[in-house]
Amino acid sequence: MISRRMRRLQNLARLRKQEEDARVLELSAVRRDIAAAERQRDEIGAMQRSMLEGAAERARSQFNADEMQRFYLFERHLSNVATDADAAIQEMRTVEAERLEDLQLANRRKRTMERLAENAATARQTAISESERKLIDEVAVNRNAARRKLAP
């Protein structure tokens, strides 16, 4: 039968494992968001380069001041969007670092509880083995004493 303390330690270890799993999910969600934001930023950069190449080509073939101004304004807009995306990525990296720290703490807490549960199980097993050994020794002593009484 499992002792109350053992059961409590096992429940706490299970709770710490669930806490760690939740932290893993939070960290992976933040990392997915960062990857998506970086892809979006890279797409904006590619769009910006493509637009500038198109503007240069148009300027060489037929120069139209209004069209060049629109290209320039759109390029500025893309530049602002890329800057905002970089700022958002930096914020997400900060959140990622916090989530990673939370995960490491949860992992340490889980390992501590697992060690405590393991130590309690080992101590319980040692106590059981010790009591069994004492019982076996007592039976052996009693048998030996009984044999001596029967022997002439």
Side-chain angles (χ1 to χ4, degrees):
M1 184 171 167
I2 297 177
S3 70
R4 176 184 279 172
R5 182 172 189 267
M6 250 323 265
R7 211 174 14 253
R8 191 172 71 226
L9 287 173
Q10 287 174 342
N11 286 339
L12 283 172
R14 191 174 29 255
L15 181 66
R16 297 295 186 239
K17 173 71 174 131
Q18 290 172 348
E19 180 184 351
E20 181 190 33
D21 291 344
R23 299 298 171 258
V24 166
L25 290 175
E26 289 173 1
L27 180 61
S28 64
V30 169
R31 287 184 172 165
R32 259 193 320 274
D33 292 346
I34 289 172
E38 286 176 340
R39 278 192 306 277
Q40 184 181 21
R41 182 195 57 201
D42 293 344
E43 289 172 6
I44 291 169
M47 189 185 308
Q48 206 173 8
R49 284 186 296 281
S50 172
M51 194 271 315
L52 287 173
E53 289 170 3
E57 182 64 34
R58 297 276 277 206
R60 276 185 240 122
S61 65
Q62 58 183 21
F63 185 79
N64 181 339
D66 288 337
E67 194 172 312
M68 289 301 116
Q69 185 176 14
R70 281 193 300 273
F71 273 120
Y72 173 75
L73 290 174
F74 186 62
E75 189 277 329
R76 287 292 90 212
H77 170 71
L78 289 177
S79 178
N80 290 337
V81 170
T83 302
D84 293 345
D86 282 336
I89 289 170
Q90 288 306 315
E91 286 178 26
M92 285 186 239
R93 292 255 183 235
T94 302
V95 171
E96 177 188 29
E98 292 170 0
R99 295 295 183 265
L100 183 58
E101 189 176 310
D102 290 346
L103 173 60
Q104 291 168 342
L105 177 63
N107 185 278
R108 282 193 302 272
R109 292 175 73 185
K110 179 194 76 156
R111 283 194 324 250
T112 300
M113 290 313 304
E114 287 173 346
R115 276 190 238 117
L116 284 173
E118 189 176 295
N119 290 346
T122 302
R124 186 172 192 282
Q125 188 59 41
T126 302
I128 290 171
S129 297
E130 182 69 23
S131 67
E132 286 175 352
R133 188 188 58 76
K134 284 181 183 179
L135 183 62
I136 290 170
D137 287 349
E138 186 179 330
V139 168
V141 167
N142 290 340
R143 277 189 184 168
N144 193 17
R147 281 188 195 144
R148 286 192 180 174
K149 281 185 181 179
L150 294 176

